[in-house]
Amino acid sequence: MADSSLPIVRDVAGLRAQISAWRGQGLRVGLVPTMGALHDGHLSLVRAAKEKCDRAVATLFVNPKQFAPNEDFERYPRDEAGDGAMLASAGCDLLYAPERTIMYPDGFATSVIVTSVSTPLEGEFRPHFFGGVATVVTKLLLQALPDAAFFGEKDYQQLQVIKRMAGDLDIPVAIEGCATVRESDGLAMSSRNAYLSADERRIAARLNHILHDAIKAVHAGEPIAQAEAEAARHLSAAGFTSIDYVAIRDAQTLQPVTDSSRPARILAAAWLGKTRLIDNMAV
Ligand code: PAF
């Protein structure tokens, strides 16, 4: 049970009734999709929703379709009461927390697949991931029909996939990206940081500094491939146990940079023991 001061709905009819009542009064509604285990990064999305809209609705659903069988679906942290209290404190007006049977009833047989922008980077290492995300986010947007939906740049490729998907499918919702929120040592906030041991947590803070250094090197004229390789080498030397990728890519398509006049982004995914961390920054 979530904090009692935050109203909760668990079905589509209840969600739509409240949102269409607000919109009928001329109020703008912002949606903040989450999988719970909330931190300040999520709360910044709620605050952004309240700044740009009149009402903020958060969703809480740990989406099984975006986890591979060997991933952390079972151990993903779940604390609806704690999440509800945090959402209420950030000014959230409604929590939508559907059961799995509401999202994926028996016989559910539809997947939303976004090609191109989904394919590289996360798409290579987690091939199931963006299909699961695009499917659940499409459902959440169509269930809620808000004016805008808010996503963190921490999951930068996910944000580009969702923008592409909403545009391609003419879903009439503005997709808003919000800056990554970081700890005081620069580590990007993530629900999965809770898995880190004290030693791993210390090493994790190196990730953002190593990406900053790579950006500086590129600005000083180092070729992109060399800056990527150096950054990967520094991550290994810092204690990261495995590096999935460090890549400087076109900021919109996530393809290799071919036109240096277009915005670029550095993105990385690396492991500390059993925990996979991702981060990214504008180049
Ligand atoms: O970023 C997340 O927390 C999830 O991928 C999302 C967008 C809520 C879909 O399950």
Side-chain angles (χ1 to χ4, degrees):
M1 283 291 104
D3 185 281
S4 57
S5 61
L6 181 65
I8 305 178
V9 289
R10 297 192 189 275
D11 61 11
V12 182
L15 177 70
R16 284 197 179 144
Q18 180 58 84
I19 291 180
S20 60
W22 280 329
R23 295 188 74 189
Q25 294 160 26
L27 301 174
R28 281 176 54 81
V29 178
L31 191 76
V32 180
T34 85
M35 296 204 301
L38 301 183
H39 49 68
D40 271 356
H42 296 107
L43 301 189
S44 76
L45 302 180
V46 173
R47 290 189 197 104
K50 285 303 283 261
E51 263 166 41
K52 296 212 166 170
C53 301
D54 304 295
R55 296 285 183 271
V57 177
T59 76
L60 169 47
F61 179 64
V62 185
N63 174 32
K65 287 196 185 293
Q66 67 190 76
F67 292 79
N70 61 333
E71 292 185 342
D72 55 345
F73 176 71
E74 293 303 337
R75 72 174 178 132
Y76 199 82
R78 289 165 171 85
D79 175 13
E80 186 181 298
D83 289 342
M86 288 174 78
L87 289 167
S89 76
C92 184
D93 298 290
L94 180 68
L95 175 61
Y96 174 50
E99 292 296 333
R100 186 175 175 146
T101 49
I102 296 285
M103 295 305 284
Y104 303 123
D106 277 353
F108 186 88
T110 300
S111 288
V112 177
I113 302 296
V114 180
T115 57
S116 63
V117 67
S118 286
T119 312
L121 308 176
E122 289 300 290
E124 250 173 68
F125 288 90
R126 303 184 70 200
H128 57 282
F129 178 66
F130 287 126
V133 168
T135 302
V136 81
V137 172
T138 300
K139 281 196 64 116
L140 291 169
L141 295 181
L142 295 177
Q143 289 175 338
L145 292 172
D147 294 281
F150 295 78
F151 299 87
E153 285 186 344
K154 156 81 177 18
D155 294 290
Y156 186 82
Q157 191 175 3
Q158 168 177 281
L159 173 61
Q160 305 314 310
V161 168
I162 291 168
K163 282 184 175 169
R164 182 86 251 171
M165 176 269 291
D168 287 353
L169 298 181
D170 300 315
I171 299 179
V173 176
I175 304 299
E176 304 276 355
C178 300
T180 302
V181 178
R182 297 180 181 277
E183 305 284 357
S184 56
D185 59 6
L187 177 66
M189 289 192 184
S190 163
S191 307
R192 290 188 169 101
N193 291 349
Y195 298 152
L196 298 170
S197 69
D199 258 8
E200 290 170 339
R201 172 65 187 80
R202 193 177 35 75
I203 298 168
R206 294 290 303 135
L207 176 55
N208 75 98
H209 296 293
I210 290 169
L211 296 187
H212 271 301
D213 290 347
I215 294 170
K216 271 196 232 148
V218 169
H219 287 167
E222 193 163 281
I224 282 179
Q226 196 178 321
E228 292 169 343
E230 277 287 290
R233 202 175 56 71
H234 286 305
L235 287 172
S236 298
F240 281 86
T241 44
S242 170
I243 320 299
D244 283 352
Y245 58 83
V246 180
I248 296 174
R249 295 294 173 95
D250 182 285
Q252 190 184 354
T253 65
L254 279 310
Q255 299 301 320
V257 174
T258 50
D259 176 354
S260 61
S261 67
R262 284 174 55 82
R265 201 93 189 169
I266 186 165
L267 306 101
W271 291 82
L272 277 169
K274 289 188 170 151
T275 307
R276 186 173 186 272
L277 299 181
I278 58 172
D279 200 353
N280 71 88
M281 291 162 199
V283 172

